[in-house]
Amino acid sequence: MHSFGNLVWNEWLKMFKKRSFFLPYVLLAGMVLFMAFMLYKFSGGSSTGYEFAQLAVTTKGMGQMLTLLAIVVTAGAVAKEHSMGTVKLLLIRAQSRTKILASKYVAILIYILTLAAFMFVVSVLTGQITFGMESGTVAIGDVLREAINNLVYTIVYVTLTFMVGILTKSTGPAIGIGMFMVIMESMAVQLLARYSWSKYLLFTNVDLSMYSGGGSSPIPGMSLTFSIIVLAVYLLLFLTAGFITFKKRDVA
């Protein structure tokens, strides 16, 4: 366990030393501040602080930008090791390939968690400062629930991107496929909602915010528990495909 912790720490340091490490934090903060300014200017400050924060972190709001930024970060986690030839140095260590790949995935998850927590804090503080602390229909718990829903949403697409990066050994296709899936998600749900079998698709289940506030699913027979189980199966499939490929691939 100690050796695995060292591997994760090493991957985190590799990410931290990149000049682009803090760029997603800056972009998220900038977008939240810009959104608050525009909403305050054109709505006359009619929102409450928590209403703004909920809008900022929700998947249908600014939260999707976090997902897109996370996809860009994740795409090169393994692909760049291949393109730069450093994967050979990585695999000569005494650690197994499974541990090495798992440490990369865990480091990415930690990074995404920090991004989500950062966006949550910035959104709440910005909302309170800009729109005041008056109570309304939205409470801090509602904001936190939407942030968690968006975190799950991001983790699913990041895991998909992680797998594509392993399979293709290329950053471009990983970013392209990951972003394409995010962008086409809403359209796919609308087009396929008429078919009962579509409730088993990733698109239909990935946004858990549809169950917030007593909302209903687009297809009968779906529930929060059902969607969580479906997402867990997809995550398992993505990780299994990625780990098996990485473990068996010849990098000589």
Side-chain angles (χ1 to χ4, degrees):
M1 191 65 182
H2 178 68
S3 61
F4 181 74
N6 288 336
L7 286 174
V8 173
W9 178 245
N10 182 61
E11 291 298 328
W12 177 262
L13 289 179
K14 286 165 64 176
M15 296 170 61
F16 181 79
K17 291 177 180 178
K18 294 180 180 178
R19 287 178 292 180
S20 59
F21 180 86
F22 291 104
L23 183 59
Y25 297 95
V26 175
L27 290 175
L28 287 175
M31 287 185 290
V32 170
L33 293 172
F34 178 74
M35 179 182 174
F37 170 76
M38 296 299 291
L39 191 60
Y40 184 82
K41 183 176 181 179
F42 293 104
S43 70
S46 57
S47 299
T48 66
Y50 289 140
E51 287 174 348
F52 166 78
Q54 184 183 47
L55 179 63
V57 303
T58 187
T59 304
K60 299 304 181 185
M62 295 294 294
Q64 199 171 75
M65 289 304 299
L66 187 153
T67 305
L68 296 176
L69 289 171
I71 286 173
V72 174
V73 172
T74 304
V78 178
K80 285 185 178 179
E81 298 279 8
H82 283 281
S83 62
M84 297 175 64
T86 53
V87 67
K88 296 179 182 179
L89 299 176
L90 203 62
L91 298 181
I92 62 175
R93 297 178 178 180
Q95 305 296 337
S96 67
R97 291 192 179 196
T98 300
K99 271 191 175 183
I100 291 172
L101 189 60
S103 67
K104 284 183 172 294
Y105 183 66
V106 170
I108 289 170
L109 291 184
I110 294 173
Y111 185 64
I112 294 169
L113 183 60
T114 64
L115 284 176
F118 176 78
M119 188 173 185
F120 173 79
V121 172
V122 170
S123 299
V124 170
L125 291 179
T126 301
Q128 297 299 302
I129 294 171
T130 307
F131 299 99
M133 302 179 66
E134 295 85 359
S135 59
T137 57
V138 178
I140 186 66
D142 299 314
V143 182
L144 181 59
R145 182 174 61 250
E146 291 302 329
I148 293 174
N149 288 337
N150 189 61
L151 178 61
V152 173
Y153 180 91
T154 301
I155 288 175
V156 171
Y157 280 120
V158 158
T159 305
L160 170 64
T161 303
F162 187 71
M163 177 196 69
V164 174
I166 296 170
L167 298 182
T168 64
K169 299 189 292 183
S170 178
T171 303
I175 294 176
I177 292 174
M179 288 189 170
F180 177 80
M181 295 284 281
V182 172
I183 294 171
M184 295 300 295
E185 172 204 324
S186 296
M187 183 181 298
V189 171
Q190 292 176 7
L191 292 175
L192 299 175
R194 70 185 74 177
Y195 305 107
S196 60
W197 52 262
S198 65
K199 66 182 179 180
Y200 299 105
L201 297 178
L202 177 68
F203 287 125
T204 317
N205 294 276
V206 69
D207 186 9
L208 297 181
S209 64
M210 62 183 169
Y211 299 110
S212 299
S216 59
S217 62
I219 303 172
M222 294 176 61
S223 65
L224 178 60
T225 302
F226 175 86
S227 291
I228 291 175
I229 293 173
V230 170
L231 292 180
V233 171
Y234 274 104
L235 286 175
L236 182 60
L237 290 175
F238 295 156
L239 291 173
T240 300
F243 274 80
I244 290 177
T245 300
F246 187 77
K247 189 174 182 179
K248 293 185 175 182
R249 174 172 286 152
D250 183 11
V251 296

